[in-house]
Amino acid sequence: MEDPSVITSSSTTAPLIHRQRGQWWTSRLRLKNSLSSEISGAVGDLGTYIPIILALTLVSKLDLSTTLIFTALYNIATGLLFGVPMPVQPMKSIAAVAVAENPHLTVSQIAAAGLSTAAVLLFLGATGLMSFFYRYIPLPVVRGVQLSQGLSFAFSAIKYIRYEQDFATSKSGPSRSWFGLDGLVVALASVLFLVLSTGAGDTDSCPIEETDNNTELSQSRSRLKRLRIILSSTPTALLVFLFGLVICFVRDPWMFGDITLGPSKLRVLKITWEDWKVGFLRAAVPQIPLSILNSVIAVCKLSGDLFPDRERELSAASVSVSVGLMNFVGCWFGAMPVCHGAGGLAGQYRFGARTGLSVVFLGIGKLVLGLVFGNSFVRVLSQFPIGILGVLLLFAGIELAMASRDMNSKEESFIMLVCAAVSLTGSSAALGFGCGILLFLLVKLRSLDFGSLLINKAKSPAEEASVPL
């Protein structure tokens, strides 16, 4: 007969292994919020995504279908691997140089800039240097970078709402009219809807206390509480985005005849030595410090703030390697250079995203659009109300800026605000970061007790020997 202990052991080992494997996936896909909130949070970063890809498509002839397909795959992969709503956003400095400076960068030069930036981040992540930087960079400096990025998003959002925008030239036009399908009334109504439904973004910020002293008052508060619960579970950002899509077709109902089904053909770019030189010097050089600070360090810090209950904090090395690998896969085919961004994470969290499932939904949506509509979808995006994009971007920027509210001492706030001011004034996160590090060192140097050090050094050997043990 077989030993019963052997039978028991063999019968329980396989289920344990199966359960551990299942836990790896379910822990990343387990809902921590309502399904509607996760779907709503998925569109929280589109306020930056859509304007940049639209500008690159119109000016630099970027292949929209290829970009949608590859960013969709990035969203799905990072959502499963990291387990948080890890955003996939355009590299903003590269996009700004490609669109705003003359001559405009070609697709091959944009790809060269993305690959150059990816190589640096992949090296820093693989060697562990990124983890070293993350560990020793002072928190007030990181908060200053986050504050400047958040306010920069908010300032751009206000411009989107107040003025007409020409993304092809990256310039603001005349003041936006009050009425119309892309008027101020539409944008302000969207703001009003989002504020009434989500408040300040914290569902527990205004608890309603029950009381038995007054029955009518108690019933009124109970109804108000139920209404807030209903509103908090409503996919508000998704509804606003879908409302914008409806306006697209109302503004240009003839676009249906211009839409062609199917994706564009993938092709490998030919990148010359001149493309590498121009792409690196003009676009990668300003992008590299921004990617290190905002796409890796700020993202990891913000993730720790937003998800303090996670068993393991996001690794700066893994996030850095993720940015490198994404671009080494997609840039060769003409996809837009991308990174992870603290602003996108803040925006997705603001509208309800709590797990990687949110960006998986976003990836599936992008994949469908890229495979079904291809490059013709740019016709739809060109009619999307810019004011509504500004509203989504405004809430994302404010959420990112509010991460800096944990600076408790005057010294920390001083360093953070100087870093943010320099970053905003000079339009360079790297410049603000450098000034913040220098200021931090000066403040710490000032706090050292040089008097006692000089006295100890000035003591003679005889005096030191006479000190009782």
Side-chain angles (χ1 to χ4, degrees):
M1 292 181 61
E2 296 182 2
D3 188 356
S5 63
V6 175
I7 298 175
T8 304
S9 175
S10 62
S11 62
T12 57
T13 302
L16 282 174
I17 296 175
H18 178 73
R19 190 180 301 115
Q20 289 176 353
R21 289 177 179 175
Q23 287 176 353
W24 187 89
W25 292 99
T26 56
S27 63
R28 285 158 174 76
L29 299 178
R30 186 184 299 117
L31 286 175
K32 297 180 181 178
N33 211 348
S34 64
L35 181 61
S36 60
S37 296
E38 292 286 350
I39 297 176
S40 177
V43 301
D45 70 334
L46 295 184
T48 54
Y49 182 86
I50 291 178
I52 292 178
I53 65 167
L54 183 59
L56 288 174
T57 302
L58 296 176
V59 176
S60 301
K61 309 304 178 185
L62 185 81
D63 193 293
L64 179 61
S65 174
T66 301
T67 294
L68 286 174
I69 291 172
F70 275 100
T71 54
L73 297 177
Y74 303 155
N75 278 130
I76 295 172
T78 54
L80 294 175
L81 290 174
F82 291 110
V84 298
M86 180 66 73
V88 175
Q89 294 188 310
M91 289 189 176
K92 298 174 184 63
S93 289
I94 293 178
V97 171
V99 174
E101 294 186 6
N102 286 314
H104 299 309
L105 296 182
T106 65
V107 175
S108 295
Q109 291 168 348
I110 293 172
L115 288 167
S116 300
T117 306
V120 174
L121 266 68
L122 187 60
F123 172 78
L124 293 175
T127 58
L129 289 174
M130 187 65 77
S131 297
F132 174 82
F133 294 148
Y134 175 74
R135 190 178 301 112
Y136 291 104
I137 291 177
L139 182 60
V141 178
V142 178
R143 292 292 187 242
V145 174
Q146 290 176 320
L147 179 61
S148 66
Q149 288 292 313
L151 292 178
S152 178
F153 284 169
F155 295 158
S156 297
I158 297 300
K159 290 180 182 179
Y160 288 179
I161 295 172
R162 290 191 58 190
Y163 303 104
E164 301 285 345
Q165 300 295 318
D166 185 0
F167 291 133
T169 59
S170 298
K171 292 182 180 179
S172 298
S175 298
R176 193 177 300 280
S177 62
W178 279 94
F179 302 100
L181 294 176
D182 193 12
L184 284 173
V185 172
V186 173
L188 294 178
S190 301
V191 173
L192 184 63
F193 172 68
L194 291 174
V195 171
L196 289 177
S197 56
T198 65
D202 186 359
T203 56
D204 299 326
S205 60
C206 298
I208 301 175
E209 298 179 357
E210 297 289 346
T211 178
D212 295 327
N213 297 333
N214 190 320
T215 305
E216 293 184 0
L217 181 61
S218 176
Q219 291 177 351
S220 176
R221 288 181 174 178
S222 178
R223 287 193 297 269
L224 183 59
K225 184 176 182 179
R226 287 196 297 269
L227 178 61
R228 287 182 177 175
I229 293 174
I230 294 173
L231 289 175
S232 64
S233 62
T234 302
T236 51
L238 180 62
L239 292 178
V240 170
F241 179 73
L242 293 177
F243 176 61
L245 284 181
V246 172
I247 292 179
C248 291
F249 294 103
V250 174
R251 295 176 72 182
D252 187 6
W254 296 275
M255 71 171 64
F256 288 101
D258 296 332
I259 293 178
T260 57
L261 301 182
S264 59
K265 294 182 179 180
L266 287 180
R267 60 184 182 89
V268 179
L269 293 179
K270 181 180 179 181
I271 305 177
T272 65
W273 170 248
E274 183 67 19
D275 293 331
W276 285 107
K277 185 174 68 172
V278 172
F280 178 78
L281 294 178
R282 289 182 56 190
V285 169
Q287 178 64 51
I288 289 171
L290 180 62
S291 293
I292 293 173
L293 296 173
N294 189 53
S295 302
V296 180
I297 294 174
V299 165
C300 293
K301 291 286 187 184
L302 183 62
S303 175
D305 298 334
L306 299 179
F307 307 104
D309 298 331
R310 276 178 56 90
E311 296 180 0
R312 294 178 59 187
E313 193 178 65
L314 280 184
S315 165
S318 62
V319 175
S320 184
V321 170
S322 172
V323 175
L325 292 179
M326 286 191 303
N327 289 284
F328 268 109
V329 171
C331 285
W332 291 108
F333 298 95
M336 173 184 62
V338 295
C339 58
H340 304 304
L345 176 59
Q348 290 169 335
Y349 182 89
R350 175 63 176 77
F351 291 115
R354 296 295 183 271
T355 66
L357 191 61
S358 179
V359 289
V360 171
F361 287 139
L362 178 61
I364 294 173
K366 289 180 182 178
L367 191 61
V368 171
L369 292 175
L371 292 175
V372 176
F373 296 104
N375 285 328
S376 62
F377 192 67
V378 71
R379 178 73 180 272
V380 179
L381 292 182
S382 63
Q383 296 298 323
F384 197 93
I386 307 302
I388 290 181
L389 289 179
V391 171
L392 295 175
L393 183 59
L394 175 64
F395 281 82
I398 296 301
E399 184 70 27
L400 176 58
M402 285 196 298
S404 61
R405 67 185 184 275
D406 62 347
M407 294 290 96
N408 298 319
S409 68
K410 190 172 183 179
E411 178 182 294
E412 291 178 335
S413 299
F414 174 64
I415 296 171
M416 176 192 70
L417 292 173
V418 170
C419 178
V422 174
S423 298
L424 287 171
T425 306
S427 299
S428 171
L431 180 61
F433 172 78
C435 292
I437 290 292
L438 179 61
L439 185 61
F440 176 83
L441 294 176
L442 291 175
V443 169
K444 292 302 179 183
L445 189 64
R446 179 180 179 274
S447 63
L448 291 177
D449 190 358
F450 286 102
S452 61
L453 291 177
L454 293 175
I455 291 174
N456 289 333
K457 288 184 178 181
K459 284 183 178 181
S460 64
E463 291 176 333
E464 293 180 355
S466 62
V467 176
L469 297 177

Short mmCIF file of all heavy atoms in Angstrom, two decimals, residues 136-182:
data_model
loop_
_atom_site.label_atom_id
_atom_site.label_comp_id
_atom_site.label_asym_id
_atom_site.label_seq_id
_atom_site.Cartn_x
_atom_site.Cartn_y
_atom_site.Cartn_z
N TYR A 136 18.79 58.61 -2.54
CA TYR A 136 19.50 59.71 -1.90
C TYR A 136 19.05 61.10 -2.36
O TYR A 136 19.55 62.09 -1.84
CB TYR A 136 21.01 59.55 -2.13
CG TYR A 136 21.58 58.37 -1.39
CD1 TYR A 136 21.91 57.19 -2.04
CD2 TYR A 136 21.75 58.42 0.00
CE1 TYR A 136 22.42 56.10 -1.36
CE2 TYR A 136 22.25 57.34 0.69
CZ TYR A 136 22.59 56.18 0.00
OH TYR A 136 23.08 55.10 0.69
N ILE A 137 18.16 61.20 -3.32
CA ILE A 137 17.65 62.52 -3.70
C ILE A 137 16.70 63.00 -2.61
O ILE A 137 15.77 62.28 -2.23
CB ILE A 137 16.92 62.47 -5.06
CG1 ILE A 137 17.95 62.23 -6.17
CG2 ILE A 137 16.17 63.76 -5.33
CD1 ILE A 137 17.33 62.10 -7.54
N PRO A 138 16.90 64.21 -2.08
CA PRO A 138 16.05 64.71 -0.98
C PRO A 138 14.59 64.82 -1.39
O PRO A 138 14.27 65.22 -2.52
CB PRO A 138 16.65 66.09 -0.67
CG PRO A 138 18.02 66.07 -1.26
CD PRO A 138 17.96 65.16 -2.44
N LEU A 139 13.70 64.48 -0.48
CA LEU A 139 12.27 64.52 -0.76
C LEU A 139 11.77 65.92 -1.12
O LEU A 139 10.95 66.05 -2.05
CB LEU A 139 11.49 63.97 0.44
CG LEU A 139 9.97 63.91 0.28
CD1 LEU A 139 9.59 63.01 -0.89
CD2 LEU A 139 9.31 63.42 1.57
N PRO A 140 12.23 67.01 -0.46
CA PRO A 140 11.74 68.34 -0.85
C PRO A 140 12.06 68.69 -2.31
O PRO A 140 11.28 69.40 -2.95
CB PRO A 140 12.48 69.28 0.11
CG PRO A 140 12.80 68.46 1.30
CD PRO A 140 13.07 67.09 0.75
N VAL A 141 13.17 68.19 -2.83
CA VAL A 141 13.51 68.45 -4.22
C VAL A 141 12.55 67.70 -5.15
O VAL A 141 12.08 68.25 -6.15
CB VAL A 141 14.98 68.04 -4.50
CG1 VAL A 141 15.32 68.26 -5.98
CG2 VAL A 141 15.92 68.84 -3.62
N VAL A 142 12.26 66.45 -4.81
CA VAL A 142 11.29 65.69 -5.61
C VAL A 142 9.92 66.35 -5.57
O VAL A 142 9.24 66.48 -6.60
CB VAL A 142 11.19 64.24 -5.09
CG1 VAL A 142 10.15 63.46 -5.89
CG2 VAL A 142 12.54 63.55 -5.18
N ARG A 143 9.52 66.81 -4.40
CA ARG A 143 8.23 67.49 -4.28
C ARG A 143 8.22 68.79 -5.10
O ARG A 143 7.19 69.16 -5.67
CB ARG A 143 7.93 67.81 -2.81
CG ARG A 143 7.67 66.57 -1.97
CD ARG A 143 6.38 65.91 -2.38
NE ARG A 143 6.01 64.81 -1.50
CZ ARG A 143 5.89 63.56 -1.85
NH1 ARG A 143 6.13 63.20 -3.11
NH2 ARG A 143 5.52 62.64 -1.00
N GLY A 144 9.35 69.47 -5.17
CA GLY A 144 9.43 70.67 -5.99
C GLY A 144 9.23 70.37 -7.47
O GLY A 144 8.54 71.11 -8.19
N VAL A 145 9.83 69.27 -7.94
CA VAL A 145 9.64 68.86 -9.33
C VAL A 145 8.19 68.49 -9.58
O VAL A 145 7.59 68.88 -10.60
CB VAL A 145 10.57 67.68 -9.67
CG1 VAL A 145 10.28 67.13 -11.06
CG2 VAL A 145 12.03 68.10 -9.57
N GLN A 146 7.58 67.75 -8.64
CA GLN A 146 6.17 67.38 -8.79
C GLN A 146 5.26 68.61 -8.80
O GLN A 146 4.33 68.70 -9.60
CB GLN A 146 5.76 66.43 -7.67
CG GLN A 146 6.39 65.06 -7.77
CD GLN A 146 6.02 64.17 -6.58
OE1 GLN A 146 5.98 64.64 -5.45
NE2 GLN A 146 5.75 62.91 -6.85
N LEU A 147 5.54 69.55 -7.90
CA LEU A 147 4.73 70.76 -7.84
C LEU A 147 4.82 71.56 -9.12
O LEU A 147 3.81 72.04 -9.64
CB LEU A 147 5.18 71.61 -6.64
CG LEU A 147 4.44 72.94 -6.44
CD1 LEU A 147 2.96 72.72 -6.21
CD2 LEU A 147 5.06 73.72 -5.27
N SER A 148 6.04 71.69 -9.66
CA SER A 148 6.20 72.45 -10.90
C SER A 148 5.50 71.76 -12.08
O SER A 148 4.86 72.42 -12.89
CB SER A 148 7.69 72.64 -11.21
OG SER A 148 8.32 71.39 -11.49
N GLN A 149 5.61 70.43 -12.15
CA GLN A 149 4.93 69.71 -13.22
C GLN A 149 3.42 69.82 -13.10
O GLN A 149 2.70 70.02 -14.10
CB GLN A 149 5.35 68.24 -13.21
CG GLN A 149 6.77 67.99 -13.68
CD GLN A 149 6.94 68.27 -15.17
OE1 GLN A 149 6.16 67.84 -15.99
NE2 GLN A 149 8.00 69.00 -15.50
N GLY A 150 2.91 69.69 -11.87
CA GLY A 150 1.47 69.80 -11.66
C GLY A 150 0.95 71.18 -12.02
O GLY A 150 -0.09 71.31 -12.69
N LEU A 151 1.64 72.22 -11.59
CA LEU A 151 1.21 73.58 -11.91
C LEU A 151 1.35 73.87 -13.40
O LEU A 151 0.54 74.59 -13.99
CB LEU A 151 2.01 74.59 -11.10
CG LEU A 151 1.75 74.59 -9.59
CD1 LEU A 151 2.64 75.60 -8.89
CD2 LEU A 151 0.27 74.88 -9.29
N SER A 152 2.39 73.31 -14.02
CA SER A 152 2.55 73.49 -15.47
C SER A 152 1.37 72.88 -16.22
O SER A 152 0.85 73.47 -17.18
CB SER A 152 3.87 72.84 -15.92
OG SER A 152 4.03 72.94 -17.31
N PHE A 153 0.95 71.68 -15.80
CA PHE A 153 -0.24 71.06 -16.40
C PHE A 153 -1.47 71.94 -16.19
O PHE A 153 -2.28 72.12 -17.10
CB PHE A 153 -0.48 69.68 -15.80
CG PHE A 153 0.45 68.62 -16.29
CD1 PHE A 153 0.51 67.38 -15.68
CD2 PHE A 153 1.28 68.84 -17.37
CE1 PHE A 153 1.37 66.39 -16.12
CE2 PHE A 153 2.15 67.87 -17.83
CZ PHE A 153 2.19 66.63 -17.20
N ALA A 154 -1.61 72.47 -14.98
CA ALA A 154 -2.78 73.29 -14.67
C ALA A 154 -2.79 74.57 -15.50
O ALA A 154 -3.84 74.99 -16.00
CB ALA A 154 -2.80 73.62 -13.17
N PHE A 155 -1.62 75.20 -15.67
CA PHE A 155 -1.54 76.42 -16.48
C PHE A 155 -1.91 76.12 -17.94
O PHE A 155 -2.65 76.89 -18.58
CB PHE A 155 -0.13 77.01 -16.42
CG PHE A 155 0.26 77.50 -15.05
CD1 PHE A 155 1.60 77.63 -14.70
CD2 PHE A 155 -0.70 77.83 -14.11
CE1 PHE A 155 1.96 78.08 -13.44
CE2 PHE A 155 -0.35 78.27 -12.84
CZ PHE A 155 0.98 78.39 -12.50
N SER A 156 -1.39 75.00 -18.46
CA SER A 156 -1.74 74.62 -19.84
C SER A 156 -3.23 74.32 -19.95
O SER A 156 -3.86 74.66 -20.97
CB SER A 156 -0.93 73.38 -20.26
OG SER A 156 0.46 73.65 -20.27
N ALA A 157 -3.79 73.70 -18.92
CA ALA A 157 -5.22 73.38 -18.94
C ALA A 157 -6.07 74.64 -19.01
O ALA A 157 -7.07 74.70 -19.74
CB ALA A 157 -5.59 72.56 -17.70
N ILE A 158 -5.69 75.65 -18.23
CA ILE A 158 -6.44 76.92 -18.26
C ILE A 158 -6.37 77.54 -19.65
O ILE A 158 -7.35 78.10 -20.15
CB ILE A 158 -5.91 77.87 -17.19
CG1 ILE A 158 -6.10 77.28 -15.78
CG2 ILE A 158 -6.61 79.22 -17.28
CD1 ILE A 158 -7.54 77.01 -15.43
N LYS A 159 -5.21 77.45 -20.30
CA LYS A 159 -5.09 77.96 -21.66
C LYS A 159 -6.00 77.20 -22.62
O LYS A 159 -6.64 77.78 -23.49
CB LYS A 159 -3.64 77.87 -22.15
CG LYS A 159 -2.67 78.82 -21.47
CD LYS A 159 -1.27 78.65 -22.01
CE LYS A 159 -0.29 79.57 -21.31
NZ LYS A 159 1.11 79.38 -21.82
N TYR A 160 -6.05 75.88 -22.46
CA TYR A 160 -6.93 75.07 -23.30
C TYR A 160 -8.39 75.51 -23.14
O TYR A 160 -9.16 75.53 -24.10
CB TYR A 160 -6.83 73.59 -22.95
CG TYR A 160 -5.53 72.93 -23.37
CD1 TYR A 160 -5.30 71.58 -23.09
CD2 TYR A 160 -4.54 73.62 -24.05
CE1 TYR A 160 -4.13 70.95 -23.47
CE2 TYR A 160 -3.37 73.02 -24.43
CZ TYR A 160 -3.16 71.68 -24.13
OH TYR A 160 -2.00 71.06 -24.51
N ILE A 161 -8.77 75.81 -21.90
CA ILE A 161 -10.16 76.16 -21.63
C ILE A 161 -10.48 77.58 -22.12
O ILE A 161 -11.55 77.82 -22.69
CB ILE A 161 -10.45 76.03 -20.12
CG1 ILE A 161 -10.32 74.56 -19.68
CG2 ILE A 161 -11.83 76.56 -19.77
CD1 ILE A 161 -10.41 74.35 -18.17
N ARG A 162 -9.57 78.51 -21.92
CA ARG A 162 -9.87 79.92 -22.19
C ARG A 162 -9.64 80.32 -23.64
O ARG A 162 -10.32 81.23 -24.15
CB ARG A 162 -9.01 80.82 -21.29
CG ARG A 162 -9.38 80.79 -19.82
CD ARG A 162 -8.66 81.90 -19.09
NE ARG A 162 -8.99 83.21 -19.66
CZ ARG A 162 -8.35 84.33 -19.33
NH1 ARG A 162 -7.34 84.29 -18.48
NH2 ARG A 162 -8.70 85.48 -19.87
N TYR A 163 -8.67 79.68 -24.32
CA TYR A 163 -8.28 80.16 -25.65
C TYR A 163 -8.39 79.04 -26.68
O TYR A 163 -8.25 77.86 -26.36
CB TYR A 163 -6.85 80.70 -25.63
CG TYR A 163 -6.63 81.81 -24.63
CD1 TYR A 163 -5.97 81.55 -23.43
CD2 TYR A 163 -7.08 83.10 -24.88
CE1 TYR A 163 -5.77 82.56 -22.50
CE2 TYR A 163 -6.88 84.11 -23.96
CZ TYR A 163 -6.23 83.84 -22.76
OH TYR A 163 -6.04 84.84 -21.84
N GLU A 164 -8.60 79.44 -27.91
CA GLU A 164 -8.53 78.52 -29.03
C GLU A 164 -7.10 78.01 -29.16
O GLU A 164 -6.13 78.76 -28.91
CB GLU A 164 -8.96 79.21 -30.33
CG GLU A 164 -10.36 79.78 -30.31
CD GLU A 164 -11.43 78.71 -30.41
OE1 GLU A 164 -11.07 77.57 -30.78
OE2 GLU A 164 -12.60 79.01 -30.15
N GLN A 165 -6.93 76.75 -29.56
CA GLN A 165 -5.60 76.15 -29.65
C GLN A 165 -5.32 75.65 -31.06
O GLN A 165 -6.20 75.08 -31.71
CB GLN A 165 -5.47 74.99 -28.65
CG GLN A 165 -5.67 75.39 -27.20
CD GLN A 165 -4.61 76.33 -26.69
OE1 GLN A 165 -3.42 76.14 -26.99
NE2 GLN A 165 -5.00 77.33 -25.94
N ASP A 166 -4.08 75.89 -31.49
CA ASP A 166 -3.60 75.33 -32.76
C ASP A 166 -2.43 74.41 -32.44
O ASP A 166 -1.30 74.87 -32.27
CB ASP A 166 -3.17 76.45 -33.71
CG ASP A 166 -2.77 75.92 -35.08
OD1 ASP A 166 -2.84 74.69 -35.29
OD2 ASP A 166 -2.38 76.72 -35.96
N PHE A 167 -2.72 73.12 -32.31
CA PHE A 167 -1.67 72.18 -31.90
C PHE A 167 -0.60 72.03 -32.98
O PHE A 167 0.53 71.65 -32.67
CB PHE A 167 -2.29 70.83 -31.58
CG PHE A 167 -3.12 70.82 -30.32
CD1 PHE A 167 -4.38 70.25 -30.30
CD2 PHE A 167 -2.64 71.40 -29.17
CE1 PHE A 167 -5.15 70.24 -29.15
CE2 PHE A 167 -3.40 71.41 -28.01
CZ PHE A 167 -4.65 70.82 -28.01
N ALA A 168 -0.94 72.30 -34.20
CA ALA A 168 0.05 72.18 -35.28
C ALA A 168 1.16 73.20 -35.13
O ALA A 168 2.30 72.95 -35.53
CB ALA A 168 -0.63 72.34 -36.64
N THR A 169 0.86 74.36 -34.54
CA THR A 169 1.88 75.40 -34.33
C THR A 169 2.21 75.60 -32.85
O THR A 169 3.06 76.42 -32.52
CB THR A 169 1.41 76.74 -34.92
OG1 THR A 169 0.18 77.13 -34.28
CG2 THR A 169 1.18 76.61 -36.41
N SER A 170 1.51 74.86 -31.97
CA SER A 170 1.71 74.97 -30.52
C SER A 170 1.48 76.40 -30.03
O SER A 170 2.21 76.90 -29.17
CB SER A 170 3.12 74.50 -30.13
OG SER A 170 3.30 73.16 -30.46
N LYS A 171 0.47 77.05 -30.56
CA LYS A 171 0.18 78.43 -30.17
C LYS A 171 -1.28 78.57 -29.79
O LYS A 171 -2.15 77.85 -30.30
CB LYS A 171 0.52 79.40 -31.32
CG LYS A 171 2.00 79.49 -31.62
CD LYS A 171 2.27 80.50 -32.73
CE LYS A 171 3.76 80.60 -33.04
NZ LYS A 171 4.03 81.56 -34.14
N SER A 172 -1.54 79.52 -28.87
CA SER A 172 -2.90 79.82 -28.48
C SER A 172 -3.46 80.90 -29.39
O SER A 172 -2.75 81.81 -29.82
CB SER A 172 -2.95 80.30 -27.02
OG SER A 172 -2.51 79.29 -26.15
N GLY A 173 -4.75 80.81 -29.67
CA GLY A 173 -5.42 81.77 -30.53
C GLY A 173 -6.25 82.75 -29.73
O GLY A 173 -5.96 83.03 -28.56
N PRO A 174 -7.30 83.28 -30.30
CA PRO A 174 -8.17 84.22 -29.59
C PRO A 174 -8.94 83.54 -28.46
O PRO A 174 -8.97 82.31 -28.35
CB PRO A 174 -9.10 84.74 -30.69
CG PRO A 174 -9.10 83.65 -31.72
CD PRO A 174 -7.73 83.05 -31.69
N SER A 175 -9.59 84.36 -27.65
CA SER A 175 -10.37 83.82 -26.53
C SER A 175 -11.49 82.94 -27.05
O SER A 175 -12.11 83.23 -28.07
CB SER A 175 -10.94 84.97 -25.69
OG SER A 175 -9.91 85.75 -25.13
N ARG A 176 -11.76 81.88 -26.33
CA ARG A 176 -12.81 80.95 -26.71
C ARG A 176 -14.18 81.59 -26.46
O ARG A 176 -14.38 82.28 -25.45
CB ARG A 176 -12.67 79.67 -25.89
CG ARG A 176 -13.49 78.50 -26.40
CD ARG A 176 -13.22 77.26 -25.57
NE ARG A 176 -11.82 76.86 -25.63
CZ ARG A 176 -11.27 76.19 -26.64
NH1 ARG A 176 -12.02 75.86 -27.68
NH2 ARG A 176 -10.01 75.87 -26.61
N SER A 177 -15.10 81.37 -27.37
CA SER A 177 -16.44 81.93 -27.21
C SER A 177 -17.18 81.19 -26.10
O SER A 177 -16.85 80.07 -25.74
CB SER A 177 -17.22 81.80 -28.53
OG SER A 177 -17.36 80.42 -28.88
N TRP A 178 -18.19 81.87 -25.55
CA TRP A 178 -18.94 81.27 -24.46
C TRP A 178 -19.78 80.09 -24.94
O TRP A 178 -19.87 79.08 -24.25
CB TRP A 178 -19.84 82.31 -23.80
CG TRP A 178 -19.10 83.18 -22.82
CD1 TRP A 178 -18.52 84.40 -23.07
CD2 TRP A 178 -18.84 82.88 -21.45
NE1 TRP A 178 -17.91 84.88 -21.94
CE2 TRP A 178 -18.10 83.96 -20.92
CE3 TRP A 178 -19.16 81.81 -20.62
CZ2 TRP A 178 -17.69 83.99 -19.60
CZ3 TRP A 178 -18.74 81.84 -19.30
CH2 TRP A 178 -18.01 82.93 -18.80
N PHE A 179 -20.40 80.25 -26.10
CA PHE A 179 -21.33 79.23 -26.57
C PHE A 179 -20.74 78.50 -27.77
O PHE A 179 -19.78 78.94 -28.39
CB PHE A 179 -22.67 79.87 -26.92
CG PHE A 179 -23.30 80.60 -25.77
CD1 PHE A 179 -23.21 81.98 -25.66
CD2 PHE A 179 -23.96 79.89 -24.76
CE1 PHE A 179 -23.77 82.65 -24.58
CE2 PHE A 179 -24.53 80.55 -23.69
CZ PHE A 179 -24.43 81.93 -23.60
N GLY A 180 -21.32 77.38 -28.08
CA GLY A 180 -20.82 76.55 -29.17
C GLY A 180 -20.47 75.18 -28.65
O GLY A 180 -20.46 74.91 -27.43
N LEU A 181 -20.14 74.28 -29.56
CA LEU A 181 -19.84 72.90 -29.18
C LEU A 181 -18.48 72.77 -28.50
O LEU A 181 -18.19 71.72 -27.92
CB LEU A 181 -19.89 72.01 -30.43
CG LEU A 181 -21.29 71.87 -31.06
CD1 LEU A 181 -21.21 71.05 -32.34
CD2 LEU A 181 -22.26 71.23 -30.07
N ASP A 182 -17.64 73.78 -28.62
CA ASP A 182 -16.37 73.79 -27.89
C ASP A 182 -16.22 75.12 -27.15
O ASP A 182 -15.15 75.70 -27.08
CB ASP A 182 -15.19 73.58 -28.85
CG ASP A 182 -13.89 73.26 -28.11
OD1 ASP A 182 -13.95 72.99 -26.89
OD2 ASP A 182 -12.82 73.29 -28.75
#
